Amino acid sequence: MSLLAVRRKVACNGLAFVNSIICIMKTLVTGCAGFIGSTLVDRLLAAGHDVIGIDNFSTGQRRFLDGALSSGHFSLIEGDLLDDVTLGKAIKGCTVVYHLAANADVRFGTEHPRKDLEQNTIATYNVLEAMRAHGVRKIAFSSTGSVYGESAVIPTPENGPFPIQTSLYGASKAAGEGLIAAYCEGFGFQSCIFRFVSILGERYTHGHVFDFYKKLKDDPLRLPVLGNGKQRKSYLYVQDCIDAMLLAMEMAPDKVNIFNLGVDTYCEVNDSIGWICNALGVQPALDYAGGDRGWIGDNPFIFLDTKRIRALGWSPRLGIQEGVLRTVAYLRQNEWVFELRAS
Amino acid sequence: MSLLAVRRKVACNGLAFVNSIICIMKTLVTGCAGFIGSTLVDRLLAAGHDVIGIDNFSTGQRRFLDGALSSGHFSLIEGDLLDDVTLGKAIKGCTVVYHLAANADVRFGTEHPRKDLEQNTIATYNVLEAMRAHGVRKIAFSSTGSVYGESAVIPTPENGPFPIQTSLYGASKAAGEGLIAAYCEGFGFQSCIFRFVSILGERYTHGHVFDFYKKLKDDPLRLPVLGNGKQRKSYLYVQDCIDAMLLAMEMAPDKVNIFNLGVDTYCEVNDSIGWICNALGVQPALDYAGGDRGWIGDNPFIFLDTKRIRALGWSPRLGIQEGVLRTVAYLRQNEWVFELRAS
């Protein structure tokens, strides 16, 4: 049982004295209303932590925080990480930061290059500076397999070849990683940097399953597919992702700890289309845009070597197909997600 | 002879017509008043190019541009790359950008983290956006061997292991590289990214030779040395550096071309101290601070694999010792450099 879980237990028993001594131990989650962020908040609360969440609600959803807000151990701060004052208020008294806030839209990066710079790179700098100002020294960071560009080594290990960035999203996350590592060296921080494959599961609000589901809702007879459908990708179920993050933050020994997070296989986009269509009971004609990439900067083969996180004892409980099916089930029960994005 | 050299020759012969057709072919050099920037400007002018230079004179020196300003083919714009309007004016009509402006102070990064973010990462973003706005598609970028952090592979090739950044300077330059590569993929740019070892030679205004010379001027009997003096570093003479940049920009075939620039050997700091002291005719007691690093984030062994640039036919003309001695000779003839920095 962690110290915080002990405190919660002790506090519940009415020992306010103990509680008052260690009640300053709080966790900040940036991007707390997002798909992964809100799931992490719930897991941290369940594990006995006090959690502060900050979100600018650009893509986050308030209702993802309903449970957290009713827990009595979660405080929500609405604000942007570019606003130093609000960020300072959020971070004050915390001992660890899970920095998940980001512009996670890899596909449309070239339509708004400033967004990746500001929301990913500069926001990460602001988080680090706020940590420094408030004496917070431990950070978890949601990076991405996109930082590898198109790696010459697949499955790609964390120390694979020095990458050449192919997307503004990947570049902005790699820049965030670099800042974090430099702060670890320069200011004695400790970090866990997680390079995710695409994450699936409950509260999923963007990505290929979302897009295909939405298109099939509009027209179950015809499905436009970016590229040739043969792009090979890897996916991870969100609770498996959170398991890995929590474990690594507990156990990782180094100043800078970098972990790929993914399953040990991949699928073709066509496989995923088959699972989704089958789950929805539709048989659309597939209308391929053609080419081996879905968009400029799309990586036609993403598959990460996850030996390092597995060496800590983690392994994912769900495979790709199960993750896709859980996501379809979630979307089916939460079609409000599509309404919100359309507005 | 390049097209621009032909134009200059033709123009000199009075054929103003030809000149007017192609006079829009101009080169922008950012950081034009710096050590390397001003040397590049002179070389570009000598090769027949029209050059626009921009500098905020934070460390640049006006007198480095005396020759350029009297050439009739150089325009100076005083301004900061964070000022989009001034940058837009500078870049208009250019066909290629040599982006050399930077906060090049690796040692004191932790004293002002925002400077590296702004002057290196955000400034590079601004240059790329200005290029996009004005249809400029070719860029040379002065990166650094510091982007490798402490590489597990030495001599370090361009595709060495995915680095973990150890300095804010390295992180900010790596971020600049990532942005440039992403713009190449997303917007059809072409780039040459140069990862320099430390550069030496005429107009050298900061670095270890500068520091040791200055200290020995103040006290020739005692020389404080950061670390244990056994740090192994590699250096390159500035004209060799410019040779490599010009050659690569002429010949590099890919969308993103990354080149290490350095000599094929290294020296110990103690070696360099010996050469400097010998040249100055002093025999100080060496007062080591101790430890294997000069400062937080200092890399105790920098040595780059330069096979890739050598494959284009380049090789450096001067070795490290000759570079150090030329630098000492320059400083001896230009002690005003020390006065300026002291003010």
Side-chain angles (χ1 to χ4, degrees):
Chain A
M1 188 184 293
S2 73
L3 185 60
L4 278 160
V6 170
R7 174 186 60 69
R8 177 71 41 79
K9 203 169 161 59
V10 168
C12 290
N13 289 339
L15 294 176
F17 170 71
V18 176
N19 192 35
S20 71
I21 291 176
I22 48 178
C23 70
I24 56 162
M25 296 186 68
K26 291 185 298 192
T27 299
L28 174 65
V29 177
T30 74
C32 66
F35 162 38
I36 305 171
S38 65
T39 309
L40 173 67
V41 166
D42 287 347
R43 291 285 301 273
L44 287 168
L45 290 168
H49 295 259
D50 277 353
V51 179
I52 310 284
I54 184 168
D55 206 294
N56 66 3
F57 290 94
S58 62
T59 57
Q61 298 302 325
R62 238 166 251 282
R63 67 178 87 182
F64 290 165
L65 296 172
D66 285 349
L69 285 166
S70 65
S71 72
H73 292 277
F74 176 70
S75 303
L76 172 63
I77 293 181
E78 182 165 349
D80 197 283
L81 299 182
L82 300 182
D83 172 0
D84 295 338
V85 176
T86 304
L87 177 54
K89 279 184 198 158
I91 210 164
K92 197 175 171 187
C94 290
T95 50
V96 59
V97 175
Y98 286 80
H99 175 38
L100 272 62
N103 170 47
D105 177 7
V106 55
R107 184 170 147 204
F108 295 102
T110 53
E111 291 181 15
H112 38 61
R114 185 172 292 276
K115 201 188 257 189
D116 282 317
L117 177 78
E118 288 184 347
Q119 291 296 324
N120 299 354
T121 306
I122 298 175
T124 298
Y125 168 82
N126 283 358
V127 167
L128 292 165
E129 279 295 281
M131 288 174 67
R132 196 157 74 95
H134 291 87
V136 187
R137 301 245 175 284
K138 189 162 183 180
I139 182 169
F141 179 56
S142 58
S143 186
T144 166
S146 295
V147 298
Y148 295 115
E150 296 192 13
S151 183
V153 179
I154 293 178
T156 312
E158 290 86 349
N159 61 352
F162 199 132
I164 295 175
Q165 300 304 323
T166 53
S167 69
L168 289 156
Y169 174 69
S172 69
K173 283 289 189 180
E177 287 193 11
L179 278 164
I180 289 168
Y183 270 70
C184 288
E185 184 71 31
F187 301 115
F189 286 23
Q190 191 195 19
S191 65
C192 286
I193 292 169
F194 300 101
R195 295 181 183 149
F196 298 167
V197 296
S198 293
I199 308 297
L200 295 172
E202 295 77 14
R203 298 183 186 164
Y204 176 94
T205 49
H206 83 285
H208 88 285
V209 183
F210 182 99
D211 293 339
F212 284 141
Y213 192 112
K214 190 166 191 295
K215 285 175 184 167
L216 289 168
K217 251 167 54 89
D218 294 342
D219 182 356
L221 299 178
R222 180 186 155 275
L223 183 64
V225 181
L226 298 171
N228 57 15
K230 295 186 176 169
Q231 304 98 303
R232 289 168 292 179
K233 309 272 184 175
S234 199
Y235 300 92
L236 180 66
Y237 178 58
V238 63
Q239 298 290 358
D240 286 328
C241 171
I242 307 287
D243 284 345
M245 293 176 74
L246 295 176
L247 180 71
M249 286 291 276
E250 189 95 17
M251 295 183 61
D254 297 327
K255 198 157 43 181
V256 179
N257 304 276
I258 302 177
F259 295 100
N260 287 337
L261 298 189
V263 297
D264 62 354
T265 184
Y266 57 86
C267 70
E268 279 193 8
V269 170
N270 282 329
D271 296 327
S272 189
I273 290 172
W275 301 327
I276 295 166
C277 290
N278 195 44
L280 294 178
V282 296
Q283 290 184 302
L286 301 180
D287 186 5
Y288 295 104
D292 61 355
R293 275 144 230 262
W295 58 87
I296 292 172
D298 184 27
N299 183 348
F301 192 12
I302 296 178
F303 181 31
L304 305 185
D305 182 324
T306 56
K307 281 192 206 82
R308 196 181 282 177
I309 185 72
R310 286 169 187 273
L312 294 186
W314 173 87
S315 64
R317 288 170 292 179
L318 297 196
I320 295 178
Q321 186 176 357
E322 292 164 292
V324 168
L325 293 179
R326 287 233 193 177
T327 307
V328 171
Y330 170 76
L331 292 174
R332 184 179 269 150
Q333 289 157 23
N334 293 274
E335 292 204 344
W336 62 270
V337 170
F338 299 108
E339 306 305 318
L340 277 172
R341 288 179 62 91
S343 66
Chain B
M1 190 183 290
S2 73
L3 184 60
L4 278 162
V6 169
R7 174 186 58 72
R8 179 69 41 80
K9 200 169 161 60
V10 168
C12 290
N13 289 340
L15 293 175
F17 169 71
V18 176
N19 193 34
S20 70
I21 291 176
I22 48 179
C23 70
I24 55 163
M25 295 185 69
K26 291 185 297 191
T27 298
L28 175 65
V29 177
T30 74
C32 67
F35 162 38
I36 305 171
S38 66
T39 309
L40 173 67
V41 166
D42 286 348
R43 291 285 301 273
L44 287 168
L45 290 168
H49 295 260
D50 277 353
V51 180
I52 311 285
I54 184 167
D55 206 294
N56 66 2
F57 290 94
S58 62
T59 57
Q61 299 301 327
R62 237 165 254 281
R63 67 178 88 182
F64 290 166
L65 295 172
D66 285 348
L69 285 165
S70 65
S71 73
H73 293 278
F74 176 70
S75 303
L76 172 63
I77 293 180
E78 182 165 348
D80 198 282
L81 298 183
L82 300 182
D83 171 1
D84 296 337
V85 176
T86 304
L87 177 55
K89 279 184 197 159
I91 211 164
K92 197 175 171 187
C94 291
T95 50
V96 58
V97 176
Y98 285 80
H99 175 38
L100 272 64
N103 171 47
D105 177 6
V106 56
R107 186 171 145 202
F108 295 101
T110 53
E111 291 180 15
H112 37 60
R114 185 172 292 276
K115 203 188 256 188
D116 282 317
L117 177 78
E118 288 184 345
Q119 291 296 322
N120 299 353
T121 305
I122 299 176
T124 298
Y125 168 82
N126 283 359
V127 167
L128 291 165
E129 279 295 282
M131 288 174 67
R132 195 158 75 94
H134 291 86
V136 187
R137 301 245 175 283
K138 190 163 183 180
I139 182 169
F141 179 57
S142 57
S143 187
T144 166
S146 296
V147 298
Y148 295 115
E150 296 193 12
S151 184
V153 179
I154 295 178
T156 312
E158 290 86 349
N159 61 352
F162 199 132
I164 295 175
Q165 299 303 323
T166 54
S167 69
L168 290 156
Y169 174 68
S172 69
K173 283 289 191 179
E177 287 193 11
L179 279 164
I180 289 168
Y183 271 70
C184 287
E185 185 70 30
F187 300 114
F189 286 23
Q190 192 194 19
S191 65
C192 285
I193 292 168
F194 301 100
R195 294 181 183 149
F196 298 166
V197 295
S198 292
I199 308 297
L200 296 171
E202 296 78 12
R203 299 183 184 163
Y204 176 93
T205 49
H206 82 285
H208 87 286
V209 184
F210 182 100
D211 294 339
F212 285 141
Y213 191 112
K214 190 165 190 296
K215 286 174 183 167
L216 290 167
K217 250 168 55 91
D218 294 342
D219 182 354
L221 299 177
R222 180 186 155 276
L223 182 63
V225 181
L226 299 172
N228 58 14
K230 294 185 177 170
Q231 304 98 304
R232 291 166 290 178
K233 309 270 184 176
S234 199
Y235 300 93
L236 180 66
Y237 178 58
V238 64
Q239 298 290 357
D240 286 328
C241 171
I242 307 287
D243 284 347
M245 292 176 75
L246 296 175
L247 180 71
M249 286 291 276
E250 189 95 17
M251 293 184 62
D254 297 328
K255 198 155 44 179
V256 180
N257 305 276
I258 303 177
F259 296 100
N260 288 337
L261 298 189
V263 297
D264 62 353
T265 185
Y266 57 86
C267 69
E268 280 193 7
V269 169
N270 282 329
D271 296 327
S272 189
I273 291 172
W275 301 327
I276 295 166
C277 290
N278 195 43
L280 294 177
V282 296
Q283 291 183 301
L286 301 181
D287 186 5
Y288 295 104
D292 61 355
R293 276 143 230 261
W295 57 87
I296 291 172
D298 184 26
N299 183 349
F301 191 11
I302 296 178
F303 181 30
L304 305 185
D305 181 324
T306 56
K307 281 192 206 84
R308 196 181 282 178
I309 185 71
R310 286 169 186 273
L312 294 186
W314 173 88
S315 63
R317 286 169 295 179
L318 297 195
I320 295 178
Q321 185 175 359
E322 292 164 292
V324 168
L325 294 178
R326 286 234 194 178
T327 307
V328 171
Y330 169 77
L331 293 174
R332 184 179 269 149
Q333 289 158 22
N334 294 273
E335 293 204 344
W336 61 269
V337 170
F338 299 108
E339 305 306 318
L340 278 172
R341 288 179 62 91
S343 67

